[in-house]
């Protein structure tokens, strides 16, 4: 029997890299063929760290690059979409770019091109910024009322996936924190940024009017790996049973 295939879209991002690391750590017990996408340039540190993984350049705005995955990797059993334009300021500045990247139109269209596309699970990373933020401890059944364009683009993505793809899980996480990645990411990381500010003795203002629930990156990876394992090892009808695992870590699953 051939090995199952896992594709990480946005594998060079912060969560994507930690997920690739998590997949490599379970290769001794559960073996998958793994591929990931990147947007700007070949991530040599990642290629060195995970030589068995395939890397593909993909433009999510146009869908260019997905055909190469079809030819060289084939249909994935699981796709984890970690790719996003996640800086709210950048989304406000260029809403068209935010929509084209955060709403995975090209990804879902590509998956739909496979004859047996119902065999693929799509795990999509969303955000707590889909909520209005006027209270704490939101639940997944609470109404999504985003106050910025980043949140609006993520709500649009969730709706698009639910309408266009049959087998999916949406994970709404808050601020993801943890150690630096194999290939350092340009985005400012919470712990590293705070450490830098404190070490310099700088004065900085923090937000005080937001309810947030930071989550450790490896907890998110654990949830994703659990989703992957359940999808590949149990009947699809039992898939919703793993929701309790996500709730333990404070992450919504839709």
């Amino acid at each position: 029997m051939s090995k199952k295939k896992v594709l990480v879209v946005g594998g060079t991002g912060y969560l994507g890299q930690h997920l690739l690391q998590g997949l490599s750590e379970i290769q001794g017990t559960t073996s998958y063929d793994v591929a990931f996408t990147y947007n700007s340039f070949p991530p040599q540190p990642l290629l060195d760290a995970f030589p068995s993984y395939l890397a593909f350049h993909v433009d999510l705005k146009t869908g260019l690059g997905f055909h190469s995955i079809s030819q060289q990797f084939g249909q994935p059993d699981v796709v984890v979409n970690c790719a996003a334009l996640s800086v709210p300021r950048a989304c406000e500045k260029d809403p068209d770019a935010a929509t084209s990247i955060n709403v995975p139109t090209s990804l879902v269209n590509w998956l739909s091109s496979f004859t047996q596309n119902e065999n693929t699970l799509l795990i999509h990373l969303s955000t707590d910024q889909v909520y209005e933020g006027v209270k704490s401890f939101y639940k997944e059944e609470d109404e999504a009322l985003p106050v910025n364009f980043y949140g609006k683009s993520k709500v649009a993505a969730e709706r698009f996936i639910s309408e266009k793809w049959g087998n999916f899980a949406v994970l709404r996480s808050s601020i993801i924190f943890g150690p630096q990645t194999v290939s350092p990411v340009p985005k400012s990381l919470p712990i590293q940024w705070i450490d830098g500010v404190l070490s310099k003795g700088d004065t900085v203002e923090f937000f005080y009017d937001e309810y947030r629930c930071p989550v450790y990156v490896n907890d998110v990876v654990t949830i994703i790996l659990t989703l992957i394992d359940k999808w590949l090892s149990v009947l699809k009808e039992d898939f919703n049973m793993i929701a309790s695992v996500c709730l333990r870590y404070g992450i919504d699953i839709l």
Side-chain angles (χ1 to χ4, degrees):
M1 180 180 293
S2 60
K3 291 192 292 185
K4 299 299 184 180
K5 300 176 182 179
V6 177
L7 173 66
V8 180
V9 178
T12 56
Y14 184 70
L15 176 59
Q17 290 194 50
H18 280 285
L19 178 57
L20 294 177
Q21 179 67 46
L23 286 165
S24 73
E25 291 173 355
I26 64 172
Q27 289 294 359
T29 56
T30 305
S31 184
Y32 305 126
D33 284 331
V34 178
F36 66 93
T37 73
Y38 62 92
N39 178 47
S40 53
F41 52 87
Q44 195 58 48
L46 282 178
L47 298 176
D48 295 339
F50 311 114
S52 65
Y53 294 177
L54 295 178
F56 296 92
H57 178 265
V58 171
D59 185 341
L60 291 177
K61 295 180 181 179
T62 64
L64 291 176
F66 280 123
H67 180 69
S68 295
I69 301 177
S70 300
Q71 296 297 310
Q72 300 179 46
F73 189 66
Q75 179 180 351
D77 297 284
V78 179
V79 175
V80 186
N81 183 26
C82 301
L85 183 60
S86 59
V87 179
R89 188 184 307 107
C91 294
E92 298 294 337
K93 184 177 180 180
D94 193 346
D96 290 338
T99 299
S100 63
I101 295 173
N102 293 347
V103 181
T105 305
S106 62
L107 170 60
V108 172
N109 287 343
W110 170 65
L111 290 175
S112 299
S113 69
F114 291 102
T115 304
Q116 295 182 320
N117 54 58
E118 71 279 357
N119 293 337
T120 298
L121 171 67
L122 173 58
I123 302 173
H124 179 78
L125 272 296
S126 190
T127 174
D128 63 348
Q129 294 189 51
V130 300
Y131 300 117
E132 188 175 12
V134 296
K135 67 172 187 175
S136 57
F137 299 108
Y138 277 90
K139 298 180 181 179
E140 61 185 62
E141 60 266 22
D142 288 329
E143 185 178 5
L145 292 171
V147 298
N148 58 26
F149 197 83
Y150 172 54
K152 291 176 183 177
S153 69
K154 283 297 193 176
V155 170
E158 293 182 6
R159 290 173 178 167
F160 176 79
I161 292 170
S162 66
E163 292 171 359
K164 300 296 184 179
W165 197 250
N167 302 313
F168 67 91
V170 173
L171 302 181
R172 292 173 174 167
S173 71
S174 186
I175 300 171
I176 298 177
F177 70 93
Q180 185 57 271
T181 49
V182 171
S183 180
V185 295
K187 181 181 177 180
S188 178
L189 303 176
I191 297 298
Q192 289 74 11
W193 175 71
I194 293 173
D195 178 66
V197 169
L198 294 177
S199 63
K200 295 177 183 177
D202 292 343
T203 300
V204 65
E205 293 185 2
F206 288 87
F207 59 78
Y208 58 87
D209 57 351
E210 297 182 17
Y211 293 102
R212 306 300 297 273
C213 186
V215 58
Y216 185 52
V217 64
N218 286 339
D219 287 341
V220 183
V221 169
T222 296
I223 289 171
I224 294 172
L225 294 179
T226 302
L227 289 168
I228 292 172
D229 181 66
K230 286 293 184 179
W231 175 257
L232 297 179
S233 63
V234 304
L235 293 175
K236 297 177 185 178
E237 296 91 300
D238 296 331
F239 183 65
N240 288 334
M241 293 174 59
I242 61 174
S244 59
V245 176
C246 298
L247 292 176
R248 234 178 12 181
Y249 292 96
I251 294 182
D252 289 342
I253 174 172
L254 301 183

